[in-house]
Structures are given as C-alpha cells and as structure tokens.
Amino acid sequence: MKSIIVAVDKKLGIGADNDLLWMKDLPDDLAYFKRRTTGASVIMGRNTYDSMGRPLPNRENIVVSHRPVGDEGVLTTASLQSAYELARYPIFVMGGGRIYADAIDDMDRLYVTEVNAEFPQATVFFPRIDPTVWKEVSREHHDADERNKYAFDFVVYDRNDS
Ligand SMILES: NC(=O)c1ccc[n+]([C@@H]2O[C@H](COP(=O)([O-])OP(=O)(O)OC[C@H]3O[C@@H](n4cnc5c(N)ncnc54)[C@H](OP(=O)(O)O)[C@@H]3O)[C@@H](O)[C@H]2O)c1
C-alpha cells in the first residue's frame, strides 16, 4: 500500500523557506501524522529531510537524493522507484513538493489535512487533486482551539477505481 500524507492550506500551499507554513501551530496534525506513520516506511525528499535534520523515530526513513545523507538510521536512494523497492513496510510519501508531484500517480491513497487558512508566503505547493482520479472517502472536521490555531479537516482520498 502506498499513500501520501500531507497538510495543505486553502490554495494547496505546503511550505516556505524549507519549513511548514503553520510551524508548530497545529499540534493535533503532528499527532495525526505520527499516529498514521509510526511503524511504516516514510519516503521524503532531500529538502524535507534537511528541514527536520534527523530521522523520525519508530519509522523506516528513506530519503530520495543523489547525495547520501550519511546519518544513522537513514537510507538514501537516488530514485523514487528504488525507494519503493527498499521499503519494508507500508509506504507513506511525506513530502515535499517535488516528491509529491513525482509520486502522486503511483499512490493508492492520499491522507490530506486541509488547513482552513491561506498563507500568501507559500512557495511550495501540492499538486491538484484530480476529482476524476480521486474520491473523498472520509472527512473529519476539527475547529480551531486553544492549542490549534486554525480549523482543519482530516480527509482521505482513494482512487475512483478502487
Ligand atoms: N505541508 C506538508 O505536509 C509538508 C510535508 C513535507 C514537506 N513540506 C515542505 O515542503 C518543502 C520542501 O519541498 P521541496 O519541493 O523543496 O523539496 P523535497 O521534495 O523535500 O526535496 C527535493 C529534493 O529531493 C530529491 N528529490 C525529490 N524528488 C526526487 C525524485 N523524484 N527523484 C530524485 N530525487 C528527488 C532531490 O534531491 P537532490 O537534489 O539532493 O538529488 C530534490 O532536490 C518545505 O517547505 C517543507 O517544509 C511540507
């Protein structure tokens, strides 16, 4: 099973200055990400790995880059296809923009957190979710609260033909 996991703003913005747009303002989304990906293989681009600076615990970390990362607990490979082949567990492609654009056609499922806000500073975007290819199969709404600055929805898309 191959899935993408991503959080997008209202214009599909996902990042700026090699960081998340909402920084640490959505802890419940970080918790959701952790819950979904623990025990899985996470595949990420070099910029996303560099923005974290260390592997994610309790997951198989695979970085796609032509430059080896060299950190303990991180596998580096030069292509997305070889990343899929290396993965020993269910796959979550976890960004960033370039990896998402290259991987979306290979995916079975998309886990998309839709953040109910716009961030004009966004420079990196998620590709359009084509409704002829993807159908929404679940949506869970969360209002903003004292911990989470913005309202958001956890949305799951499966392929129309699945
Ligand atoms: N909102 C979210 O859910 C979310 C999630 C993750 C990241 N982000 C944000 O996304 C931004 C980073 O995205 P980005 O597009 O700049 O970078 P990225 O996709 O993380 O990394 C790009 C680099 O990864 C390698 N790469 C990516 N796809 C490849 C492919 N198909 N084949 C071979 N190599 C590939 C290349 O590295 P080399 O040049 O070293 O070969 C490329 O320069 C940051 O702002 C980050 O915070 C947001």
Side-chain angles (χ1 to χ4, degrees):
M1 177 85 174
K2 296 194 202 74
S3 306
I4 269 175
I5 188 159
V6 64
V8 299
D9 83 350
K10 285 164 85 171
K11 299 241 166 95
L12 297 178
I14 63 165
D17 299 326
N18 212 27
D19 212 336
L20 296 176
L21 296 166
W22 32 85
M23 305 291 185
K24 297 190 185 333
D25 287 334
L26 286 174
D28 285 2
D29 182 53
L30 292 181
Y32 176 79
F33 173 86
K34 186 174 175 187
R35 200 163 66 242
R36 288 280 184 202
T37 60
T38 292
S41 297
V42 287
I43 297 177
M44 70 201 89
R46 181 63 185 236
N47 295 350
T48 295
Y49 180 78
D50 287 347
S51 77
M52 300 191 311
R54 61 177 179 88
L56 292 170
N58 307 315
R59 280 147 281 195
E60 182 180 52
N61 286 246
I62 304 175
V63 176
V64 183
S65 173
H66 67 273
R67 295 166 292 139
V69 168
D71 293 349
E72 198 179 330
V74 179
L75 300 168
T76 313
T77 185
S79 76
L80 202 42
Q81 201 55 46
S82 58
Y84 299 151
E85 284 160 18
L86 274 176
R88 291 180 297 158
Y89 308 106
I91 288 172
F92 283 86
V93 173
M94 52 160 284
R98 167 144 177 228
I99 280 272
Y100 286 141
D102 291 347
I104 190 167
D105 289 344
D106 304 329
M107 296 295 112
D108 305 301
R109 180 170 286 176
L110 312 176
Y111 292 95
V112 183
T113 301
E114 296 181 359
V115 181
N116 191 16
E118 274 182 41
F119 296 82
Q121 72 271 33
T123 52
V124 185
F125 293 85
F126 193 74
R128 173 174 174 265
I129 300 171
D130 182 346
T132 68
V133 177
W134 298 103
K135 62 170 183 256
E136 184 179 311
V137 294
S138 72
R139 175 177 292 269
E140 189 184 304
H141 178 73
H142 294 259
D143 287 326
D145 57 28
E146 61 285 349
R147 295 170 65 250
N148 297 280
K149 191 169 173 186
Y150 311 102
F152 56 92
D153 288 30
F154 292 134
V155 188
V156 180
Y157 294 91
D158 279 346
R159 290 192 165 272
N160 276 323
D161 54 14
S162 65

